[in-house]
Amino acid sequence: AQSVAQPEDQVNVAEGNPLTVKCTYSVSGNPYLFWYVQYPNRGLQFLLKYITGDNLVKGSYGFEAEFNKSQTSFHLKKPSALVSDSALYFCAVRVASGTYKYIFGTGTRLKVLA
Amino acid sequence: ETGVTQTPRHLVMGMTNKKSLKCEQHLGHNAMYWYKQSAKKPLELMFVYSLEERVENNSVPSRFSPECPNSSHLFLHLHTLQPEDSALYLCASSQNGAGYGYTFGSGTRLTVV
C-alpha cells in the first residue's frame, strides 16, 4: 500500500538551532515529493518539491529537504530555526503521471521556542 | 492571498440546513480538489475535477455534492450534515501533471450544530 509517514506529531527546537522534520514514504513508481506548511486558520502553502535531479532541494523561507532513495525519506531541514517557523508541516507524495492523487502525511507540528 | 479564494471563511449550520461552499481560482489551472481536514487525521481527498469532469470521488457520503461549472469555480453543496462533518474544508488547484504542486485556499471552517 502506498503511504507517507511523519513519525513525529510534534517537534520542539530552540530558536537559532537547526531543525529536522522527518518524512518517509512507500510508493510504487517514481515518487514526486512535496512539503507544505500550514499556519493557523490557513490553507497549506507549498514549500518545496523533489521531482528529479539533485537530492538536496531548496525551497521557501530557507527550508531545504534531502531526498534519500535508499532510505525512502525526504526530511525537511533548516539550519537556523525562527519562532515564525512554528506551524504544521505536511509531507506529500504524488505518484508519476496518470494520477491526480497526493498522499499526505498526518502532519508534524513544529514549535520553535524563543 | 494564494490565488485560490474560498468563501465563506466560517460557516455554522444546523443539521437540516442546505449550504454551499465556493472556491475560485484564476491561476489558469485545470484541476481542482476538495479536501477535508479534521483534527489529528490525515488530509482526506474528497473530490477531484480535471477539465471540469469529476475524475475521483473517494467514497464521500451523498450529503456532500460537488459542482464544477467551469475551470475556475468549484462548489461543495452541503445538506443534512452530521456533527462529525465539522472540519476545515480546503480547496486546491493545480496544473495536470504529477510534477506540479497544489495551490490551496485558506479553507472554510465548518461547524455543524
Side-chain angles (χ1 to χ4, degrees):
Chain A
Q2 303 183 86
S3 63
V4 173
Q6 292 181 245
E8 301 151 318
D9 286 342
Q10 181 159 323
V11 170
N12 295 329
V13 63
E15 188 174 31
N17 282 3
L19 69 88
T20 299
V21 182
K22 294 179 181 176
C23 172
T24 58
Y25 65 91
S26 173
V27 297
S28 55
N30 292 325
Y32 294 169
L33 295 154
F34 300 80
W35 276 102
Y36 289 85
V37 60
Q38 186 178 31
Y39 298 100
N41 299 314
R42 304 299 301 270
L44 280 67
Q45 295 177 36
F46 171 78
L47 267 183
L48 51 79
K49 67 179 178 182
Y50 172 83
I51 304 298
T52 186
D54 285 343
N55 290 341
L56 185 66
V57 293
K58 294 187 185 295
S60 308
Y61 312 120
F63 283 93
E64 57 190 27
E66 186 167 12
F67 172 62
N68 188 317
K69 189 173 183 178
S70 62
Q71 295 185 6
T72 61
S73 67
F74 189 57
H75 301 331
L76 181 70
K77 300 182 180 187
K78 188 172 181 182
S80 178
L82 300 172
V83 172
S84 57
D85 293 330
S86 299
L88 189 56
Y89 290 81
F90 289 92
C91 180
V93 63
R94 192 168 183 182
V95 184
S97 61
T99 176
Y100 304 90
K101 198 168 180 176
Y102 273 66
I103 304 168
F104 280 88
T106 50
T108 298
R109 187 163 300 282
L110 173 67
K111 197 168 184 179
V112 181
L113 307 167
Chain B
E1 290 300 330
T2 64
V4 177
T5 303
Q6 288 187 245
T7 52
R9 292 294 303 272
H10 300 273
L11 178 62
V12 179
M13 60 186 287
M15 289 190 283
T16 58
N17 290 158
K18 288 185 180 181
K19 296 286 184 183
S20 296
L21 310 185
K22 181 182 176 182
C23 176
E24 188 171 352
Q25 62 93 6
H26 294 287
L27 300 169
H29 290 168
N30 52 21
M32 295 186 79
Y33 312 78
W34 279 117
Y35 275 86
K36 177 183 178 183
Q37 185 178 22
S38 304
K40 300 185 180 179
K41 286 187 176 180
L43 280 166
E44 300 174 47
L45 177 63
M46 300 176 74
F47 302 104
V48 180
Y49 276 83
S50 174
L51 300 171
E52 301 154 45
E53 284 192 32
R54 192 190 312 179
V55 296
E56 193 148 343
N57 176 351
N58 278 2
S59 303
V60 178
S62 59
R63 57 186 183 270
F64 295 92
S65 174
E67 179 190 2
C68 187
N70 55 59
S71 61
S72 299
H73 294 86
L74 183 66
F75 295 90
L76 187 63
H77 303 300
L78 316 171
H79 65 97
T80 59
L81 294 192
Q82 304 298 311
E84 60 264 28
D85 297 322
S86 299
L88 182 67
Y89 288 84
L90 293 166
C91 174
S93 69
S94 73
Q95 271 301 106
N96 279 342
Y100 291 96
Y102 286 178
T103 300
F104 281 87
S106 296
T108 295
R109 173 71 62 188
L110 174 67
T111 303
V112 181
V113 297

